[in-house]
Amino acid sequence: MTRQAQVGIFAIVALLLLFGIFYVITDYGTRHSGYQVGIHFNSAAGLSTGALVYFSGVTVGTVESIDLLPDNTVEVILAVNKNVEIPVASKFLIQAPLTGSPNVVIVPPIPAPRPSGVFGPTPAPAAEPMLARSVLPIDQQPQGRNSATLADLLDQGQGEVRQLDSLLSDLEKREPKLLDSLQTTVDTANSTMLQLSTQSRQIADTLQTSLTQASANVVDLTGSLDKTVSGNSVHFNSIIAQLDQTSVALNKSTQSLEELATDKTLKTSLIATTKNIADTTQTVAAITHDLRTITGNPQTQAQMRNTIANLDAATQRANSLLGNFGGTSSVYGVDADATPVPTIPGASPYPQAPYPGVPYPSASPGQTSNANASAAAKRAQNHAKLRVLVKNLVSLQLRISGLSKQLACCQNPILSKDQGPQTDINAMLLSNGGTSFLIGANDIGYHSTVNFAALQRVTPTLRIGGGVLYDQLGIISEYNQHAFGLEGRLYDPRYLMLDLYGNFSIAPGARLFFGERDTLHTARRTVYGLQFQF
């Protein structure tokens, strides 16, 4: 390479370096590749062309030009990088440091608080309007503000000093009156404190006397309670023995109910009675149809009266049959103490004998009394059988409970902050059968939920099942042994909850139960209350 070529290459490199220095110093790229915006200031405050523009402390452009307007205000044209968006609500300030040249500072609006656990830059709100990328007319340009100068601060300080001097003068005039008022207040306070001290001493003496008397009363009450407990220990032992006997009798009653529920004779009698009632109803319908075809023939009317008499007798016999199951009737010749009914003229005797050619049996007073006692015993036995049958078909359970105070920090999705009382009603269909069905509602009137589950008897004292519990899928288990029982409920697969209960009998059909709701979480609650079984 020749010397002339080397000199030419050096000159070209020098020109390129000079252009690069000019490009950086004059911000040529920003001024030609970015966009311009106009800001209206009351004063330029020493700002010069080429001064830097800061957005949130970051250099984003330079001052393109400064123009003096006819009203002696200033229009400042800024050259801003093309990748920077300026919100309309931003503040534009001329910062004049003690050393160095003034510059323009853009302060964006304060963003919304950062959500907890979110890291990284917070994006600008989508609805935030941005400043147009052009120089707007003067009346539409953002209004900039100038930093306070030292002269402004001195003027403001002089005004504050004058106000302070006026305040001190006023205080000097009022000082004697203030001191007099303060002395009077102190004297009054001393007198009041003296009176308060005297009254406090008197109250303390009275309180000491009351405490002494109250402690003596407590000692007397403790002695009386000790004597009462010692004197009635025999009664307490008797009550416990009676409760034990009651539990044994209840067990026997349960076994009797189970035997009666499987009594085929009772079921057969009920079916036969139902069939007899259906046959009687069909007969009445046929007779009613025949009555509609009756004419004015006297003989037909006499026959109709006979038919009605026979129908009435048959109806009373049906009532007598139903009387064995709790009903009442008064059929002459069938029921004791029944009086004969007068005969109807022109008709057959009323009522007729139970069977043609067989007269009504006559009964002596002793036989009548024995028959009455036997019928009453039979009716009582049938009543008991029917009650057992109904109880085997369906039983009702009523719970009135309360919850302990919520101590955990967080809300349980099923248990509310309410402490009660809460009312639960459940019906158990086929309660003594192999398979039972639970239907009911919880916390009626407030945060009500429903139960619908099927239970299978595994042993005479244990049942296990599943279905809907508290509006959630779950499983349930029950263990009942005489006067004591246990129950567990596991439900809500998304927020698994386990409830455990214990109960013991305090009276026939009444139990006291207690337990823990939601034992698997810190939001657990203690539950207690009464349970009634019908």
Side-chain angles (χ1 to χ4, degrees), residues 6 69 128 224 235 263 329 340 385 404 408 466 473 479 529:
Q6 293 177 355
L69 301 178
E128 183 73 23
S224 300
H235 297 288
D263 190 354
S329 65
K385 291 181 179 180
S404 62
L473 291 178
Y479 176 82

Side-chain angles (χ1 to χ4, degrees), residues 280-524:
T280 303
T281 304
Q282 184 176 4
T283 302
V284 171
I287 293 173
T288 303
H289 177 71
D290 293 337
L291 290 175
R292 292 176 180 174
T293 60
I294 292 176
T295 63
N297 191 333
Q299 184 179 359
T300 303
Q301 293 178 359
Q303 293 175 354
M304 179 186 67
R305 286 193 294 268
N306 292 336
T307 302
I308 293 175
N310 294 329
L311 175 61
D312 183 58
T315 303
Q316 293 194 48
R317 290 192 186 95
N319 290 337
S320 177
L321 177 61
L322 292 177
N324 293 329
F325 295 94
T328 59
S329 65
S330 59
V331 179
Y332 180 67
V334 177
D335 297 314
D337 300 330
T339 58
V341 180
T343 58
I344 301 175
S348 62
Y350 171 69
Q352 294 180 355
Y355 301 98
V358 180
Y360 288 115
S362 60
S364 64
Q367 293 176 346
T368 302
S369 176
N370 293 334
N372 291 339
S374 176
K378 188 174 182 180
R379 284 195 295 269
Q381 183 181 5
N382 291 332
H383 284 173
K385 291 181 179 180
L386 286 176
R387 283 195 297 269
V388 171
L389 178 61
V390 172
K391 194 167 184 179
N392 288 333
L393 292 177
V394 61
S395 63
L396 295 179
Q397 181 189 87
L398 173 63
R399 277 187 176 180
I400 301 176
S401 60
L403 291 173
S404 62
K405 185 177 180 181
Q406 180 179 355
L407 300 178
C409 64
C410 307
Q411 179 73 20
N412 187 290
I414 292 180
L415 300 179
S416 64
K417 294 182 178 180
D418 177 37
Q419 293 183 242
Q422 296 183 356
T423 303
D424 303 345
I425 296 179
N426 292 286
M428 183 70 73
L429 305 181
L430 305 177
S431 56
N432 291 327
T435 302
S436 305
F437 298 93
L438 176 68
I439 303 174
N442 310 295
D443 198 4
I444 298 175
Y446 293 90
H447 302 281
S448 299
T449 55
V450 298
N451 301 325
F452 186 82
L455 290 87
Q456 181 67 36
R457 187 176 297 277
V458 181
T459 67
T461 58
L462 178 63
R463 291 190 297 188
I464 299 176
V468 177
L469 303 176
Y470 300 101
D471 286 347
Q472 306 292 334
L473 291 178
I475 57 177
I476 182 174
S477 64
E478 294 181 352
Y479 176 82
N480 290 291
Q481 181 69 30
H482 302 302
F484 178 75
L486 296 175
E487 181 179 345
R489 297 185 180 187
L490 184 67
Y491 53 94
D492 194 357
R494 293 181 298 178
Y495 183 86
L496 195 61
M497 296 180 63
L498 175 63
D499 298 352
L500 297 176
Y501 301 96
N503 62 79
F504 60 90
S505 177
I506 58 175
R511 287 178 174 259
L512 180 65
F513 75 94
F514 56 91
E516 195 83 6
R517 297 288 307 272
D518 194 14
T519 58
L520 301 179
H521 303 91
T522 57
R524 64 181 63 90

Side-chain angles (χ1 to χ4, degrees), residues 80-97:
V80 184
N81 293 341
K82 63 181 180 179
N83 59 345
V84 177
E85 295 288 348
I86 302 175
V88 174
S90 301
K91 299 178 181 178
F92 299 86
L93 308 174
I94 295 179
Q95 186 178 25

Side-chain angles (χ1 to χ4, degrees), residues 30-85:
T30 300
R31 297 167 63 183
H32 290 80
S33 62
Y35 63 92
Q36 295 179 343
V37 294
I39 311 300
H40 188 213
F41 289 93
N42 292 331
S43 172
L47 189 67
S48 59
T49 303
L52 297 178
V53 177
Y54 294 94
F55 182 79
S56 294
V58 180
T59 304
V60 296
T62 58
V63 176
E64 179 74 18
S65 62
I66 303 173
D67 298 326
L68 183 64
L69 301 178
D71 59 351
N72 296 325
T73 58
V74 177
E75 180 185 24
V76 178
I77 306 301
L78 306 179
V80 184
N81 293 341
K82 63 181 180 179
N83 59 345
V84 177
E85 295 288 348

